[in-house]
Amino acid sequence: GQAAEYEIRYMTVPMTEALWDSATIAPVSLAPAKSGEIQHVEISGFDWGKWYFALKTADEVPNWSDLSNIVSASIGDTTAPGVISDLSVFSFDETGITLTWSASGDDGYNGRANEYDLRHASAAISEETWAMASRIQGLPAPDSSGIEEMFVITGLETGQQYFFAIKTRDERANESELSNIVSGTPLQDTVPPGQVTDLSAIHAVGHSATLTWTAPGNNGFGGMAFEYDLRYSQTAITEESWDETTQVQDVSSPVAAGRQESFTIHDLELETPYFFALKTADDLSNWSEISNVVSSSTIALSQLTHSLRKVGAQRGCWSPNGHHLFFEADFDIQFNSQIYTMPANGGEPKRLTYEPSNKSDVVRTPDGNQLTFLAGGNDLNELRVVDPIPGSISSLLLRHDGLHIMDYSWSPDGNYIVYTAYPYSQNDWDQRKCYVVSAFGGAPEVLLSEDWLPNEVVWSPVGNQICFVSEHNESYDIWVMSTAGENPTQLTFDPAEDRGPAWSPDGSQIAFASNRSGIYDIWIMSATGENQTQLTFDLDAEIYPQWSPDGKAICYTGAVPAGFSWQSDIWVLHLE
């Protein structure tokens, strides 16, 4: 509706309900408009200083409203911004000069001013010659007092000396005094890029090492450089030994100064110490000083099995103490894939099962005393359990009538099993759902419907989340959800396929396989999806990662083409 009257009051301190009666009533008569319309009023006669205002509204009774929000205004601002005294030439090239300075403020060195007036001339600038100097356009609005400002002036003549000065204005056109005067001459570029001082070797795994650093610039640490010269050696690198080192080919061109760079060097030797360094050049071949030198030893990468059959060995899992690995393999031509075990540091594989059906997805039970696996191949897959002793006979643990179980995972306490399955009779895996069931029997409960297209489920060792792969957003990505199937959260967003997640023992990281490079490699990331890092670079496909119980190694399946099929083997990557 429409109120009946306003009462506006003001005072020199922030208004409160308790101070309302002591505030001065503004001598205005403004009737309220209809609800929602914007109204304004002008109040005059104030002394200089800061004043606070508030209002209340009444209806015809009158019933008075609560106190409005409080606003303030400073009357009579004649305080100019502070003078800039640290104007300086940061860098220059053939046609441009970069200036820096510290922002002053609105009133002296407080607050935030309104605009800059930056000028140049061919002779020293003074207050008397200020009006004749050329004003430079395109400056951004001032930042808060004390913040460093930077501006690049382009279009200058090579060899011409320029003088620069700056003033600052507030919103009431109060102008600062003239700044200090600086000068510079755009010359033929002889300034090299800045020296890289934060070169770091973040990963040296297998035959590869990944380096990171901050891009310097074209001249010092401004602009964009032209090329890198990245080198490595098995002995310490110095300026004197630079020419004897190995130069890395095809290093990417530099990005803008201040941005992070990374590059992976391949074809290194295993378990070998290496030293790395780089130099940076601009487009005129001005070379920087040698960077800091970093060293790292390539981490051991071991192939445990050497398959001759078309499928070979795959899907390894660790014993509780980390001394042995269990995996499926078709080493015996008379049988389908069976379960084998072998020492984690290498040795002769030992066969555990002698049953007719295929074995896949070998997992040790949470108590570590038995192994579970999927049996049935292309039929109605069922989950079975067996003792890790040669010749043991498996027994049925879980069957979901009418459904083909694709993959599964135990809860860390051993009380539940989460799995994905689809209707076998329809042979349509786009109808797959995610279920959870008690390990002691009972009716399964749906956690995710076929709308999510879930598969490759893995229960967190912490017990509070389940990781899974989904095509929900039209690409294979890794997600997490609560153990009740709530709050699905996407962790990877790359258009490539991200598959086979595996939790680290402490639940802080997730290993997975991704074909972002064009083939599947092993990657790791934090449990929240950050710091996604590639670990392997070697084979045609590296999949199914599994962490060792101490978190110091990852076993995975490495596969290479073999005719019309793939030949797989078990590999171990030692992280420490």
Side-chain angles (χ1 to χ4, degrees):
Q2 188 169 354
E5 65 174 303
Y6 292 128
E7 184 167 297
I8 302 175
R9 299 196 179 203
Y10 59 89
M11 60 195 318
T12 58
V13 296
M15 190 95 60
T16 64
E17 189 68 60
L19 295 176
W20 174 258
D21 290 335
S22 61
T24 302
I25 300 175
V28 296
S29 56
L30 177 69
K34 291 182 179 179
S35 175
E37 292 186 14
I38 302 298
Q39 294 192 267
H40 72 275
V41 67
E42 182 175 323
I43 308 171
S44 59
F46 294 97
D47 293 328
W48 286 9
K50 192 168 188 178
W51 296 86
Y52 295 84
F53 303 84
L55 65 80
K56 291 186 178 183
T57 313
D59 60 15
E60 70 282 354
V61 175
N63 295 305
W64 284 92
S65 71
D66 291 340
L67 187 67
S68 71
N69 60 306
I70 314 301
V71 297
S72 65
S74 295
I75 308 300
D77 179 11
T78 60
T79 303
V83 61
I84 291 172
S85 58
D86 63 349
L87 182 66
S88 64
V89 176
F90 178 77
S91 64
F92 55 86
D93 56 24
E94 297 90 336
T95 60
I97 291 180
T98 300
L99 301 179
T100 63
W101 65 91
S102 298
S104 56
D106 178 78
D107 296 325
Y109 297 96
N110 298 313
R112 190 169 185 166
N114 187 60
E115 66 172 331
Y116 288 125
D117 187 349
L118 176 62
R119 302 193 181 194
H120 70 77
S122 58
I125 300 174
S126 64
E127 283 289 359
E128 291 72 25
T129 62
W130 173 255
M132 294 180 287
S134 299
R135 183 168 183 179
I136 299 168
Q137 305 298 320
L139 271 76
D143 211 323
S144 301
S145 176
I147 301 298
E148 184 181 54
E149 305 271 35
M150 179 177 289
F151 187 75
V152 179
I153 305 167
T154 58
L156 304 178
E157 294 183 14
T158 300
Q160 169 69 50
Q161 184 180 19
Y162 290 89
F163 293 82
F164 303 91
I166 192 170
K167 291 185 178 183
T168 312
R169 297 188 184 93
D170 64 16
E171 73 281 357
R172 295 186 179 274
N174 295 310
E175 187 175 77
S176 72
E177 296 179 17
L178 187 67
S179 71
N180 62 303
I181 314 300
V182 296
S183 66
T185 304
L187 300 173
Q188 181 66 30
D189 183 9
T190 60
V191 179
Q195 178 190 26
V196 171
T197 59
D198 63 348
L199 183 66
S200 177
I202 58 171
H203 289 287
V205 178
H207 297 279
S208 306
T210 300
L211 306 177
T212 64
W213 65 92
T214 302
N218 180 61
N219 294 319
F221 297 95
M224 187 182 299
F226 182 70
E227 67 176 314
Y228 289 122
D229 186 353
L230 177 61
R231 304 200 176 201
Y232 64 89
S233 174
Q234 293 183 19
T235 59
I237 300 175
T238 65
E239 196 68 64
E240 290 72 27
S241 66
W242 180 259
D243 292 336
E244 285 79 50
T245 59
T246 302
Q247 185 179 39
V248 180
Q249 303 300 314
D250 300 322
V251 180
S252 303
S253 299
V255 296
R259 292 180 57 185
Q260 288 297 302
E261 299 265 42
S262 67
F263 188 80
T264 300
I265 303 173
H266 302 293
D267 300 323
L268 302 176
E269 297 180 17
L270 290 176
E271 297 185 278
T272 302
Y274 284 96
F275 295 83
F276 306 92
L278 63 80
K279 292 183 179 182
T280 313
D282 61 17
D283 55 351
L284 296 176
S285 295
N286 294 308
W287 284 95
S288 72
E289 296 180 34
I290 189 173
S291 71
N292 61 304
V293 180
V294 296
S295 63
S296 182
S297 294
T298 48
I299 298 172
L301 188 65
S302 305
Q303 182 178 353
L304 295 191
T305 64
H306 298 270
S307 301
L308 298 177
R309 297 268 289 150
K310 64 177 183 179
V311 175
Q314 58 183 339
R315 292 181 178 267
C317 74
W318 298 79
S319 64
N321 59 13
H323 294 168
H324 287 79
L325 287 167
F326 303 99
F327 56 92
E328 60 183 271
D330 65 345
F331 292 158
D332 194 327
I333 195 171
Q334 297 180 358
F335 287 87
N336 293 319
S337 291
Q338 301 293 318
I339 299 176
Y340 287 75
T341 185
M342 69 181 300
N345 58 359
E348 188 67 27
K350 182 185 297 184
R351 183 171 173 180
L352 297 183
T353 61
Y354 291 80
E355 301 184 18
S357 62
N358 275 318
K359 312 292 184 294
S360 64
D361 280 12
V362 182
V363 174
R364 60 178 173 84
T365 55
D367 61 13
N369 295 327
Q370 292 180 297
L371 299 173
T372 54
F373 60 89
L374 291 175
N378 295 324
D379 300 324
L380 287 172
N381 260 9
E382 59 189 25
L383 186 61
R384 301 185 70 83
V385 61
V386 68
D387 294 326
I389 301 172
S392 295
I393 304 300
S394 66
S395 59
L396 178 66
L397 180 63
L398 172 65
R399 178 188 292 127
H400 195 138
D401 291 339
L403 296 186
H404 178 94
I405 299 176
M406 299 171 56
D407 51 79
Y408 70 98
S409 178
W410 286 86
S411 65
D413 59 10
N415 290 332
Y416 295 93
I417 299 171
V418 62
Y419 61 96
T420 60
Y422 64 87
Y424 173 70
S425 59
Q426 301 176 30
N427 196 26
D428 184 1
W429 84 309
D430 284 344
Q431 295 299 310
R432 62 190 184 271
K433 300 178 182 179
C434 178
Y435 301 85
V436 65
V437 67
S438 169
F440 309 106
E445 175 186 346
V446 175
L447 290 186
L448 287 177
S449 70
E450 62 271 20
D451 294 337
W452 283 90
L453 297 173
N455 66 309
E456 299 183 294
V457 289
V458 190
W459 211 303
S460 163
V462 180
N464 61 340
Q465 287 183 307
I466 294 173
C467 191
F468 64 98
V469 173
S470 172
E471 296 178 77
H472 188 65
N473 288 335
E474 299 184 355
S475 65
Y476 286 93
D477 287 300
I478 296 174
W479 297 63
V480 291
M481 63 179 171
S482 73
T483 56
E486 300 170 338
N487 303 317
T489 302
Q490 190 170 350
L491 299 185
T492 64
F493 295 85
D494 197 279
E497 294 186 1
D498 297 326
R499 309 289 299 269
W503 294 91
S504 63
D506 62 1
S508 65
Q509 297 185 91
I510 297 173
F512 62 99
S514 176
N515 64 352
R516 302 177 190 187
S517 66
I519 57 175
Y520 278 101
D521 300 293
I522 304 301
W523 290 63
I524 59 171
M525 62 181 171
S526 72
T528 55
E530 300 168 331
N531 303 318
Q532 297 182 21
T533 304
Q534 186 175 349
L535 292 186
T536 64
F537 304 84
D538 300 289
L539 302 178
D540 291 271
E542 294 160 319
I543 52 180
Y544 305 134
Q546 290 294 329
W547 295 79
S548 63
D550 60 7
K552 295 182 179 181
I554 293 176
C555 76
Y556 63 92
T557 301
V560 295
F564 295 101
S565 184
W566 290 80
Q567 190 173 82
S568 302
D569 280 297
I570 304 298
W571 292 69
V572 172
L573 172 63
H574 296 280
L575 303 176
E576 297 184 20

